[in-house]
Structure formats: C-alpha cells, structure tokens
Amino acid sequence: QLDTINAVIPSLIKQAGAAGAPGAPGAKGNRGVAGPAGITGIKGIQGPPGKSADINDCPAGAKGDQGPPGYPGEPGESIQLNPYIVAFHSQRTEYPKCLDGMTELWRGYSFMFIDVDNSNKWTQNLGDPGSCMLNFKPEFFGTCSDNGNGESTCERNIDQHSTMWLSIASLDGNQDEFLDDLPSRGLDYDRAKNYVSRCVVCESIFRLTVVHTRSNIHPAQVENHACPAGYQIVPNPNKHINPGVAEENWCGYSFWQVSSDKFGVGTLADSQGSCLLDFSQTPLVSCNNEECRLKKRTRNTWLMSDTKRDSDYKSFGSSDPYVSRCVVCRRPEAKLFRQE
C-alpha cells in the first residue's frame, strides 16, 4: 500500500489548480494600548508683527455706568455789579466775623463821628463801611478855607477837633459797675485802644434786613425769630468770641443815637448798625491831639418796647426790659453765595 500511495502523490501534485484571488478585508481589530508621551517640542520663532488696528474701525461698546461726581470747579466770575458792603461792630476788643456767604474786606476800629466845633460835626452810620477805620488814628483831617486875603489854605485843626469812637461794652451785663471801673483820666493812644470796639467790613450779594420788634420779648420766643416770611435770622458775628455763652443768633437792642455836648448822632433804623448786640451805655472814646478820654456821661437814645413801666426813671442797669429787641435777617440762600 505504501508504494501505491507514493505512486499516487506525484500525480496528485501535478493536478493542483492556480492560486485563488485575495480574500475580502477582515473586520477592524481592537484599538491598541496608548504609547508613551513624546518629548516637549522646542519654542517656535516669533512671528511677524500684525497689522495696526484703527480704533475708529472698532465697533462701539455697550454704554458704561455713570461715573462718580467730579471735583468742584473754579469759582465763576461774579455777576453782581452792586454788592452790598456792610460793617459789623463787636463792642469788644476782638474782631467780629463776616457771615457765611460773605467776603471779608478789612478789619478795623469802630468810628462814630468827628466833633470839629460847636457848628461842625458829622457822623458815620454804624452799618456802613465808613464806620470801620483801618487804623486807630485819632487825628486824621484838616480844614481848607479862604484865609481872608484871597488865598485858600489848609490846616490840621489839631487843637480844635475831636474824634469819637464806639467803646467796648460790659462783658457781664453789670452796667453800673462797668462804668465805675472805666478810667477817668486821660489815656495815651495805645492804652485807649483797649477800650475801642473792633469791627469788620464784609461784602455780600444779599441785603440784610433789620426788624425792630417794639417788644422786650426775646426774638427766640417769637415765630421765625420775628423775621419776615421767607427770611431767616443771621448768626451772631460775635459768637466765636465767647463760644457757649454768646447768643447763637443776632438778637440785639434797638439803638437810635448817642448825644454828646448838646449834639446827637444816630444811625439808620434800616441798618444792622441800629441793632447793637449789647445793651450798653455806649460811652464814647473821645480823642484829641494829645490824649483820649472815655466820655461816660453821654446820653443814649434807644427805641422803647411797649412794656408798661411803673416809673419814668430807671437805672441804666435795670432798663433793658423796657428797650425794644431787634433781629437781623436775610434770605436763606444768601449763605450759599460767596464773592471771591
């Protein structure tokens, strides 16, 4: 049999056919496991500059929120062509202050009037700037006239004239004791300054209004402090001198005039100078070319209240209940404006 098989095999091999065509692709195999990470590449070279952008070509963004308030601007030019120039008198050796909304122009000494001779005297309204002299100069004028020979001459008249200054008031209200303590002898100019009231001149674009109540009731107890409708009482220009004790507001006494040597000089009733902060016997400081003296026995005229009196005569120290009270008022917006 083996021989038979061996004889058949060669014949079978010779009879095999040609190779068949490739078979169809097999199904996709499973994904292999991830390989290890490669090394980091080197930094590339910088590219060329890009084209410049024009902000005008960019679309507008959304509207932003409102910013915070800005800083105050520089003061504008004043349009007030005729400001009011007023004077305040402290009746103290300290200077009063201008009110809010006012501009201080100068400080000085409270001047009342000049006494030239029996026929020539003139005064300054205590509310006007002319009543606040920059310097305490007791002799400061001369007289010019025809000398009778067809020529005009000017002379100082230092031996004839006297200047009168408003004095300080009693600090504690004891008028009689205050007068007794005043020096009766002559004083040199430097010492006399200690008895002369100080003053301040202020510029305002609002007018002050004075109300004389004809009542002894303190204005703080009256509706709107007795000021007209639409007005407010102004602060006391002296309150910084004695804080905590001085009145907060300008509530004063209605002063009319002072008389000396048969000659009376007054102030305007519509001026704040007629509303003195202190009820004082207002002695004058009278100065000539040599010295100054305090004229204690002057006659003072005050507007009386409608309070019934039990006597026509009262000592000065006990007379204030019978004197009219007054207030100084202004528009409320006046304190917001200031002249620069």
Side-chain angles (χ1 to χ4, degrees):
Q1 284 182 326
L2 183 60
D3 292 337
T4 301
I5 293 171
N6 290 335
V8 174
I9 290 173
S11 62
L12 290 174
I13 295 173
K14 288 180 181 181
Q15 293 178 356
K28 184 177 179 179
N30 297 328
R31 183 180 179 88
V33 296
I39 63 174
T40 303
I42 63 175
K43 183 177 180 180
I45 63 174
Q46 182 174 354
K51 293 182 179 180
S52 299
D54 188 343
I55 193 172
N56 295 321
D57 295 336
C58 298
K63 184 178 180 180
D65 297 332
Q66 182 174 350
Y71 293 105
E74 294 294 326
E77 294 183 3
S78 173
I79 60 173
Q80 177 70 17
L81 300 181
N82 297 294
Y84 298 102
I85 311 298
V86 295
F88 301 153
H89 302 273
S90 68
Q91 297 174 270
R92 302 283 189 274
T93 53
E94 295 86 3
Y95 294 99
K97 284 187 176 181
C98 295
L99 306 178
D100 291 340
M102 292 184 174
T103 300
E104 180 180 311
L105 300 183
W106 71 81
R107 296 177 177 184
Y109 298 83
S110 302
F111 171 69
M112 294 197 74
F113 65 96
I114 294 176
D115 185 355
V116 181
D117 51 41
N118 292 331
S119 59
N120 292 290
K121 306 172 190 285
W122 60 92
T123 184
Q124 293 291 330
N125 172 40
L126 286 177
D128 291 340
S131 66
C132 187
M133 291 293 177
L134 277 169
N135 301 299
F136 181 60
K137 298 290 186 182
E139 45 174 297
F140 57 79
F141 85 102
T143 301
C144 298
S145 61
D146 192 323
N147 62 5
N149 297 323
E151 298 179 354
S152 294
T153 59
C154 298
E155 56 183 341
R156 292 173 61 190
N157 282 340
I158 59 175
D159 295 329
Q160 300 180 33
H161 83 270
S162 297
T163 53
M164 305 291 180
W165 307 79
L166 179 66
S167 80
I168 59 174
S170 169
L171 299 180
D172 58 7
N174 192 329
Q175 302 291 342
D176 297 328
E177 183 177 333
F178 171 69
L179 285 179
D180 291 339
D181 291 340
L182 292 176
S184 57
R185 63 182 183 278
L187 303 172
D188 59 42
Y189 296 160
D190 287 337
R191 289 189 61 199
K193 283 184 181 181
N194 297 326
Y195 299 94
V196 176
S197 167
R198 302 304 197 267
C199 54
V200 65
V201 174
C202 313
E203 182 182 43
S204 173
I205 62 175
F206 285 84
R207 184 183 178 90
L208 297 177
T209 299
V210 182
V211 178
H212 299 281
T213 65
R214 292 299 307 273
S215 170
N216 67 348
I217 299 176
H218 194 285
Q221 303 175 25
V222 181
E223 182 180 358
N224 197 31
H225 291 90
C227 288
Y231 283 73
Q232 291 181 349
I233 190 170
V234 304
N236 178 357
N238 282 356
K239 68 179 182 179
H240 65 285
I241 297 175
N242 198 4
V245 177
E247 293 252 12
E248 282 294 314
N249 299 313
W250 195 326
C251 301
Y253 298 86
S254 300
F255 173 68
W256 236 239
Q257 73 169 22
V258 59
S259 301
S260 175
D261 298 331
K262 300 180 180 180
F263 178 76
V265 291
T267 189
L268 299 178
D270 63 349
S271 161
Q272 72 280 354
S274 65
C275 188
L276 290 182
L277 288 161
D278 291 286
F279 179 60
S280 170
Q281 199 156 340
T282 56
L284 297 175
V285 180
S286 174
C287 300
N288 56 30
N289 65 313
E290 294 181 350
E291 62 182 15
C292 297
R293 288 183 176 273
L294 278 86
K295 304 192 72 169
K296 302 180 184 182
R297 306 305 171 190
T298 56
R299 295 180 58 194
N300 309 299
T301 304
W302 302 80
L303 184 64
M304 301 302 293
S305 69
D306 55 7
T307 304
K308 184 178 180 179
R309 299 190 300 170
D310 55 8
S311 172
D312 288 336
Y313 297 96
K314 294 285 184 181
S315 67
F316 190 89
S318 60
S319 295
D320 58 321
Y322 307 103
V323 176
S324 169
R325 301 306 299 267
C326 54
V327 292
V328 179
C329 315
R330 66 176 176 178
R331 300 285 300 180
E333 61 269 23
K335 63 183 178 182
L336 304 177
F337 292 80
R338 183 186 176 103
Q339 300 276 89
E340 297 291 348

